[in-house]
Amino acid sequence: MQHSTNNPSPIPGKLKGKLAFVTGASRGLGRWIAVELAQQGAAVAVNYAHSDEDAAHTVALIAKAGGEALAIRADITKEEEVREAAGQAEAAFGRSIGVLVNNATGPQPMLSIEDSDWKDYEDQLAFFVKAPLLLVKAVLPGMRAAGSGSIVNIGSEVVQLGNARFASYVTAKSAMIGMTRSWASELEPAGIRVNLVAPGWIPVERHAGASTDDYAGRVPLQRMGEPKDIAAAVAFLASDEARFITGQCLSVNGGLTFGI
Ligand SMILES: NC(=O)c1ccc[n+]([C@@H]2O[C@H](COP(=O)([O-])OP(=O)(O)OC[C@H]3O[C@@H](n4cnc5c(N)ncnc54)[C@H](OP(=O)(O)O)[C@@H]3O)[C@@H](O)[C@H]2O)c1
């Protein structure tokens, strides 16, 4: 566990005083979401399952900017580990989790229908349906007691695009949309908002070397998105600035899916 409460000058920001839990924050989009939430004043639990070194690097980036973060190793598909992780974050920072970002992903294999079996679908549902359910159940007592909270699920534009040989992932990301809306309805009376950010293709470490020219050429805003584009949208939805927004899906993809 890597812990930083090194906060030389309190960071002003729209998330000041909040505790955020970001799943899969050791690299990729999750890292930059964690950094942005910390820059906006939140203390951040940086969740990951495998790479201590990468998670420590995210914590170090936050500490360098004067923020507060704690790396928490937990496989978010395992109920007991999720419960312990949420408790660890709340104990470390002495407050309940007010912002939950369901971001983590495992491998996303592209498979034809003939080459897919139910297990391939279950693997995706475990990350995008089961894990968010476990996380929400773990943070709900604190959010209900506080009478507020913001949950941001990370979806994908593939739901609109319907990419071929990707149905296990597309199916699970589609399920996230219905789940977001139903949770938003159920939790609205408790003062808890639930929204979804749907990124376009945002190159991260795992895309190193991939050619982006064709995709970028189809994006109306004529460029690839960057992790900070997603992080800014998440920070907004997480904050009280979005207090009148719930049950929504926000595409952050340079306009690629508008009109669909
Ligand atoms: N990047 C894109 O182009 C893009 C586009 C649309 C949607 N998205 C969505 O955005 C989210 C982030 O994607 P990404 O591209 O940033 O992925 P990524 O770079 O592969 O990062 C995945 C993160 O999840 C963690 N992780 C893996 N298994 C885990 C587990 N069992 N429990 C907890 N953490 C686990 C990884 O850390 P460890 O390996 O250290 O555990 C890592 O921090 C995903 O939901 C993805 O579907 C991404």
Side-chain angles (χ1 to χ4, degrees):
M1 188 205 309
Q2 179 89 3
H3 190 182
S4 161
T5 50
N6 170 29
N7 196 347
S9 55
I11 300 179
K14 52 184 178 249
L15 296 173
K16 194 164 163 37
K18 309 260 189 213
L19 171 57
F21 192 105
V22 183
T23 70
S26 58
R27 62 170 188 276
L29 300 183
R31 166 177 286 164
W32 299 108
I33 292 168
V35 168
E36 178 65 26
L37 298 185
Q39 278 173 351
Q40 294 301 332
V44 183
V46 171
N47 161 254
Y48 69 106
H50 306 97
S51 174
D52 297 332
E53 202 181 323
D54 288 347
H57 185 54
T58 302
V59 170
L61 286 171
I62 291 171
K64 200 171 158 201
E68 292 185 278
L70 169 68
I72 298 185
R73 185 172 189 147
D75 179 344
I76 50 139
T77 66
K78 306 261 168 56
E79 187 167 2
E80 193 52 40
E81 293 190 33
V82 167
R83 223 187 347 253
E84 277 175 21
Q88 196 183 338
E90 295 189 334
F93 291 105
R95 67 197 103 148
S96 57
I97 294 166
V99 173
L100 168 65
V101 183
N102 286 308
N103 165 80
T105 181
Q108 304 166 359
M110 296 196 74
L111 295 167
S112 69
I113 296 167
E114 287 85 350
D115 288 339
S116 304
D117 55 32
W118 175 233
K119 175 74 169 57
D120 297 307
Y121 283 64
E122 279 185 329
D123 288 347
Q124 299 305 311
L125 291 166
F127 272 94
F128 303 132
V129 178
K130 180 184 180 186
L133 172 65
L134 298 179
L135 265 303
V136 166
K137 288 178 70 133
V139 304
L140 262 185
M143 288 186 179
R144 283 195 190 279
S148 68
S150 177
I151 296 160
V152 182
N153 295 322
I154 305 300
S156 172
E157 67 176 4
V158 298
V159 175
Q160 276 76 37
L161 298 177
N163 307 43
R165 295 176 300 284
F166 214 21
S168 56
Y169 179 77
V170 175
T171 300
K173 287 295 190 186
S174 303
M176 273 188 134
I177 296 178
M179 199 171 67
T180 297
R181 292 176 178 153
S182 181
W183 284 353
S185 299
E186 184 172 339
L187 297 176
E188 179 273 327
I192 301 164
R193 297 179 298 100
V194 190
N195 290 288
L196 179 144
V197 168
W201 180 15
I202 314 290
V204 292
E205 296 88 332
R206 67 187 167 93
H207 301 116
S211 169
T212 57
D213 293 352
D214 177 57
Y215 180 93
R218 288 186 281 120
V219 174
L221 289 180
Q222 290 291 303
R223 70 164 171 90
M224 297 302 289
E226 298 170 9
K228 65 183 178 193
D229 296 321
I230 305 304
V234 172
F236 167 66
L237 289 172
S239 78
D240 293 341
E241 287 179 355
R243 61 189 174 275
F244 205 46
I245 302 175
T246 195
Q248 300 303 308
C249 301
L250 177 61
S251 294
V252 183
N253 62 357
L256 186 63
T257 51
F258 73 60
I260 298 182

